[in-house]
Amino acid sequence: MKELKLTNSPLNGRVEVPGDKSISHRSVMFGALAEGKTTIRHFLKGEDCLRTIDCFRKLGVDIEETEEEIIVHGKGWGGLTEPSEILDAGNSGTTIRLLLGILSGRPFHSVLIGDESIARRPMDRVVVPLTEMGAKINGRSNGRFTPLAVAGSSLRPINYELPVASAQVKSAILFAALQAEGETIITEPQLTRDHTEKMIKQFGGDITRRGNDIVLRGGQPFTGTDIYVPGDISSAAFFLVAGAVVPGSEVILENVGLNPTRTGIIDVLVQMGADIKVEEANTAGEEMGTITIRSSSLKGIEIGGDLIPKLIDEIPVIALLATQAEGKTVIKDAEELKVKETNRIDTVVNELKKLGADIKATDDGMIIYGKSPLTGARVSSHGDHRIGMMLAVASLVAEGAVELENDEAIAVSYPSFFEDMAQLTSK
Ligand code: S3P
C-alpha cells in the first residue's frame, strides 16, 4: 500500500515518459519474425512487454537485453520452435491475443495462459476469426477463456468484418494472414490504433488501407531493422491531466508518440479548454513530439463515437479530469471498458466515489458532474495499472492522504511512474 499526500503541489518540469507499450510489444514480435537483427531503443521495460520477450525466448528466439537496447536476432517465421514450457502472458492482453495469431499458423503445439485478470477476459474475439482461417485452438468454455492450447495448422485468408473496434483482434488476424496464401481483407467499424500496419511497412512489408478496409497479402518476408519506440501517450496522459488540474502547474512531455489513432486525449483536453501546446517533430515511422500543458479552468464535454478507440485506455484518467471540470461530462459508446484489465466502468466509478466524486455508471460509460472537491480515502487499483495511476493523480488534488492499495500493478506499463511524479512535484 502507498500513502500519497501531495495535495495541490504544482507540477513543474520536463519528463520523457517510457516507451509506448503497444509499439514495444510489436517491435519484439516483428523482430522475431524478421530475418536478421532488430535493434529496439526506448523499449518499455514494463511487466507486460517483458512477458512478450519471455514468450519469444521460450519460442526459441535469441533476444539480448542491455541497459539501452533490446536486440532481437530473428530467423524468420521458421525460427520459432515448439516451446517446452507454457507461454505465460501475465497481465498482458496484447501479448496473448497477438501471439494467438502468430502461433495459429506455426507447425507445433503451444499452451498459453495469463494471470487472473486475463483468465476473465474474452479470447473468443480472436479465436473465432482465427478458427475461420483454419486455426485449431482449444480452451476453457469452448475457447472463450484461458488456458488455451494451439495446434498449429495451415491457414487460409479471410474477409472479416470486425464486430468490435479492437486493434488487438485486427493485429491477431493480420499475423495469421501473413501466414496464409492469398489476400486477407479486414473491415474495421472504427479506426483503431494502426501500429501493426505501420510496423509491417517498417520491416519491409506491404499493406494497404482502402477506406475502412485493410488489405494484406500472405507470405511476405520481413527484414530486421532499427526501431525507436516513442514515449507512450497513454502514460503521458496521467501527467497531462495532473498538469491541467493542479493549479500553478506547467509540464513538458518530450518525445511522446503522436500517432493520430492515439491522440484522443489531446482532443479532449482542447475541447475542455486546457492550455495545451503540441509541437510535432520531423520523424520517420511513428509520429512523435513535445506536449506542454499548463493548469487552467476546464469545462465538461460529451465524449463518444469514433473518438473512443483513440482514447480507450485514457478513460480512467479522463474521468478524473472531468471531476475537476465545470459542468457535466458524458462518456458514452465505451462498453469495451468492461473487458479491460478490470471492468473499468465499475472500478473508475467506485474508486472515484470513495474520494467524493459525483460520478455514476451507465451501460456504455459514465456521467461525471464537476467541479467537485476530492478528499483522501483508502482506494485500490484492483490490480489494474491505469486505475492505480489515475488514483495517484487524484491524490494531487484530494484534500488529505490517499491510501492506494495494490500500487505495484503500475509496473505493468510505467515502472518509474512514482519517480517521475516525485520529480515533477519536487520543484
Ligand atoms: C492495444 C489495443 C487496445 C488497448 C490495449 C493495447 C494494442 O485494446 O486497450 O491497451 O496494443 O493493440 P483493444 O484493441 O482490444 O481495444
Side-chain angles (χ1 to χ4, degrees):
M1 201 188 61
K2 202 162 181 90
E3 206 192 24
L4 301 157
K5 38 183 180 185
L6 280 165
T7 314
N8 286 329
S9 320
L11 292 93
N12 276 293
R14 294 172 178 267
V15 162
E16 183 169 5
V17 296
D20 186 275
K21 181 157 77 70
S22 294
I23 300 174
S24 294
H25 283 300
R26 287 160 172 82
S27 61
V28 169
M29 294 176 180
F30 280 101
L33 300 173
E35 300 275 353
K37 182 171 147 185
T38 290
T39 304
I40 309 163
R41 286 182 299 136
H42 205 232
F43 179 84
L44 169 61
K45 290 189 182 174
E47 283 168 12
D48 270 15
C49 299
L50 295 176
R51 289 288 179 171
T52 292
I53 290 186
D54 178 63
C55 289
F56 278 87
R57 283 186 174 143
K58 287 182 176 146
L59 287 161
V61 181
D62 176 12
I63 303 174
E64 287 174 71
E65 208 182 310
T66 70
E67 195 58 37
E68 296 290 314
E69 294 172 341
I70 302 291
I71 302 165
V72 187
H73 297 277
K75 291 192 186 141
W77 289 86
L80 302 191
T81 53
E82 188 166 64
S84 57
E85 287 172 84
I86 290 173
L87 305 174
D88 186 351
N91 192 242
S92 176
T94 306
T95 306
I96 196 159
R97 295 203 176 107
L98 273 54
L99 260 178
L100 281 169
I102 293 170
L103 295 174
S104 286
R106 294 298 81 217
F108 53 71
H109 164 83
S110 47
V111 178
L112 292 102
I113 60 161
D115 67 6
E116 69 273 11
S117 156
I118 283 290
R120 288 191 298 267
R121 297 180 67 185
M123 295 298 144
D124 49 341
R125 51 177 57 199
V126 285
V127 171
V128 167
L130 292 175
T131 304
E132 223 177 285
M133 296 176 83
K136 295 194 174 56
I137 304 170
N138 284 307
R140 187 164 52 94
S141 296
N142 226 352
R144 185 165 159 77
F145 298 118
T146 56
L148 294 162
V150 186
S153 45
S154 70
L155 300 177
R156 45 185 178 271
I158 191 175
N159 280 1
Y160 194 70
E161 206 167 307
L162 290 179
V164 281
S166 163
Q168 292 183 353
V169 178
K170 171 176 69 175
S171 302
I173 299 171
L174 289 174
F175 276 119
L178 286 166
Q179 304 173 74
E181 214 176 289
E183 205 174 74
T184 285
I185 304 176
I186 304 173
T187 310
E188 291 196 283
Q190 289 165 323
L191 185 62
T192 65
R193 64 189 69 192
D194 63 356
H195 305 301
T196 306
E197 295 93 307
K198 283 209 154 98
M199 214 169 264
I200 286 176
K201 290 184 183 158
Q202 278 176 282
F203 279 83
D206 183 34
I207 182 164
T208 45
R209 174 174 276 278
R210 294 188 212 127
N212 285 351
D213 290 353
I214 298 153
V215 185
L216 179 66
R217 193 173 27 83
Q220 304 185 39
F222 294 130
T223 314
T225 188
D226 291 346
I227 300 280
Y228 179 86
V229 183
D232 198 328
I233 190 162
S234 298
S235 298
F238 297 101
F239 295 124
L240 289 175
V241 168
V245 300
V246 181
S249 298
E250 178 179 293
V251 178
I252 301 171
L253 295 151
E254 295 173 321
N255 297 331
V256 181
L258 295 174
N259 180 316
T261 61
R262 295 284 301 282
T263 48
I265 177 71
I266 297 175
D267 301 342
V268 162
L269 283 161
V270 169
Q271 281 180 48
M272 283 187 157
D275 181 352
I276 183 169
K277 189 171 84 189
V278 180
E279 291 157 284
E280 198 168 326
N282 237 342
T283 43
E286 291 275 350
E287 297 84 348
M288 208 164 77
T290 301
I291 312 176
T292 305
I293 190 138
R294 294 188 193 89
S295 55
S296 63
S297 61
L298 302 164
K299 58 176 192 297
I301 59 167
E302 191 168 295
I303 303 166
D306 290 347
L307 192 54
I308 294 296
K310 298 192 175 101
L311 47 67
I312 188 73
D313 292 339
E314 286 64 79
I315 291 177
V317 80
I318 288 172
L320 169 68
L321 177 70
T323 69
Q324 302 307 302
E326 282 305 330
K328 180 178 175 185
T329 293
V330 180
I331 300 173
K332 59 178 192 175
D333 307 320
E335 301 88 340
E336 274 295 297
L337 291 174
K338 294 178 183 167
V339 291
K340 294 296 176 190
E341 286 81 333
T342 55
N343 175 334
R344 284 184 177 159
I345 296 182
D346 289 352
T347 44
V348 166
V349 170
N350 294 338
E351 296 311 302
L352 280 176
K353 265 189 188 158
K354 290 182 190 166
L355 299 176
D358 186 351
I359 180 168
K360 67 173 187 225
T362 62
D363 269 353
D364 64 347
M366 52 197 87
I367 299 175
I368 305 120
Y369 295 90
K371 176 178 181 177
S372 51
L374 302 182
T375 39
R378 180 175 287 207
V379 290
S380 170
S381 76
H382 294 272
D384 184 334
H385 53 131
R386 300 203 196 280
I387 301 296
M389 287 184 274
M390 178 275 281
L391 293 167
V393 173
S395 79
L396 300 174
V397 282
E399 275 311 321
V402 169
E403 293 176 328
L404 176 60
E405 288 174 353
N406 293 116
D407 58 290
E408 66 285 346
I410 290 171
V412 155
S413 65
Y414 200 159
S416 56
F417 173 77
F418 286 113
E419 280 97 309
D420 287 351
M421 188 161 112
Q423 190 207 314
L424 287 172
T425 48
S426 67
K427 300 197 180 84

